[in-house]
Amino acid sequence: MSVRVRRVYEPPEPDDGVRVLVDRLWPRGLAKDAARVDEWPKALTPSTELRRWYHADERSYEEFAERYEAELAAGEAAELLDHVRDLVREGDVTLLTASKTPERSHATVLARLLDG
């Protein structure tokens, strides 16, 4: 089983497994049928406050990751994280994001938590 991160704008690949959109908002200019998203757990995404904090004044990615992990530890986000962990146990999972830099996004934090 593997977890990988891809941009949602890239065409689906046969080895993607379950495709999970991990952005709170639907990606601009992308038709839903073209995205081939299997699940969209919006509550698994960073809070609006955390997203705004991170994108203001080029904040530290490491601190963003710590704050996001704290958000994932409680409530509906924790339940959804467990659900995606179950998906990973069953097969391959691709986390999809519209981020231009997925390697410095919440999707990478999620992938690390799911792989660990």
Side-chain angles (χ1 to χ4, degrees):
M1 309 342 147
S2 72
V3 177
R4 66 183 186 164
V5 175
R6 296 185 63 215
R7 290 199 72 222
V8 70
Y9 297 107
E10 297 172 8
E13 294 183 0
D15 60 345
D16 281 348
V18 178
R19 292 170 53 89
V20 181
L21 179 63
V22 293
D23 289 346
R24 189 166 298 264
L25 304 174
W26 187 261
R28 289 184 184 189
L30 184 64
K32 290 190 179 187
D33 59 333
R36 212 191 101 221
V37 169
D38 297 309
E39 299 206 15
W40 187 16
K42 294 178 190 176
L44 190 60
T45 64
S47 66
T48 300
E49 296 79 20
L50 181 56
R51 282 192 346 265
R52 287 181 181 157
W53 174 86
Y54 181 49
H55 294 295
D57 301 323
E58 297 185 29
R59 305 288 182 153
S60 159
Y61 176 74
E62 291 73 23
E63 186 174 348
F64 165 76
E66 288 176 19
R67 290 179 180 207
Y68 181 42
E69 286 183 40
E71 287 186 354
L72 291 170
E76 187 179 0
E79 292 173 22
L80 288 169
L81 183 60
D82 286 341
H83 169 69
V84 177
R85 278 191 179 114
D86 290 341
L87 294 175
V88 172
R89 285 186 200 104
E90 295 170 11
D92 296 332
V93 172
T94 298
L95 304 177
L96 302 168
T97 181
S99 173
K100 292 179 182 175
T101 55
E103 65 280 356
R104 296 192 53 82
S105 74
H106 64 288
T108 301
V109 175
L110 277 174
R112 183 174 41 79
L113 291 174
L114 293 167
D115 270 342

